[in-house]
C-alpha cells in the first residue's frame, strides 16, 4: 500500500483547507484509511479515519464537527475537509492505512509522508 498526502498550506484562523491522500496498491473495501497529525516535540495524534468502502467514520474529539473525512473512489483518494481552523490545528498531517480500523488508530501498518498545515492567528 502506498500513500501520498497533499494539500497542506498556510491559512488564517477560521479558514478552511482540504487535504488529500492518494492511495494505491492492494486495498480492499474493509481497509481503514485515516489522518494523524504531529506537532514537533509531541506524539503523533489520531485525527480521523474511514473505511475504504466509505463507511465507519471516526473522529477525535478535538476535530469533531469541524473536520470531515471522505473517500473519492473515482480518484482513489481519502480527503480531509477542514473548516473553522484554529492555530492549535497547526501540525504536520500524515495519512495512514491498515486492514483494521482499530489497528489504524493505534498502530497503522502503512504511512504516507506528511503535509504541513499552518493556521495563523
Amino acid at each position: 500500500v502506498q500513500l501520498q498526502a497533499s494539500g497542506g498550506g498556510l491559512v488564517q484562523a477560521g479558514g478552511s483547507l482540504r487535504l488529500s491522500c492518494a492511495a494505491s496498491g492492494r486495498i480492499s473495501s474493509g481497509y481503514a484509511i485515516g489522518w494523524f497529525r504531529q506537532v514537533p516535540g509531541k506524539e503523533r495524534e489520531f485525527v480521523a479515519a474511514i473505511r475504504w468502502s466509505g463507511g465507519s467514520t471516526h473522529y477525535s474529539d478535538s476535530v469533531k464537527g469541524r473536520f470531515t473525512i471522505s473517500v473519492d473512489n473515482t480518484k482513489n483518494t481519502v480527503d480531509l475537509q477542514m473548516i473553522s481552523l484554529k492555530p492549535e490545528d497547526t501540525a504536520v498531517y500524515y495519512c495512514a492505512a491498515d486492514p483494521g480500523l482499530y489497528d489504524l488508530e493505534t498502530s497503522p501498518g502503512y504511512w504516507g509522508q506528511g503535509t504541513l498545515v499552518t493556521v495563523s492567528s
Side-chain angles (χ1 to χ4, degrees), residues 48-116:
I50 190 170
R51 289 203 183 274
W52 190 239
S53 62
S56 299
T57 57
H58 188 217
Y59 300 90
S60 69
D61 289 341
S62 60
V63 307
K64 200 172 294 184
R66 300 187 299 121
F67 291 11
T68 303
I69 191 169
S70 61
V71 176
D72 187 335
N73 292 118
T74 64
K75 299 179 182 177
N76 280 352
T77 61
V78 172
D79 299 332
L80 186 69
Q81 179 67 47
M82 306 182 293
I83 66 171
S84 302
L85 282 162
K86 306 174 182 180
E88 51 264 43
D89 293 318
T90 295
V92 177
Y93 283 71
Y94 298 88
C95 58
D98 197 272
L101 187 60
Y102 174 78
D103 290 335
L104 172 79
E105 297 185 23
T106 57
S107 183
Y110 304 93
W111 288 99
Q113 94 293 355
T115 185
L116 177 63

Side-chain angles (χ1 to χ4, degrees), residues 5-10 17-20 82 115-118:
S6 63
L10 174 64
L17 207 58
R18 189 176 186 90
L19 305 182
S20 187
M82 306 182 293
T115 185
L116 177 63
V117 172
T118 303

Side-chain angles (χ1 to χ4, degrees), residues 38-44:
Q38 188 171 26
V39 175
K42 293 190 176 181
E43 290 190 359
R44 201 167 290 188

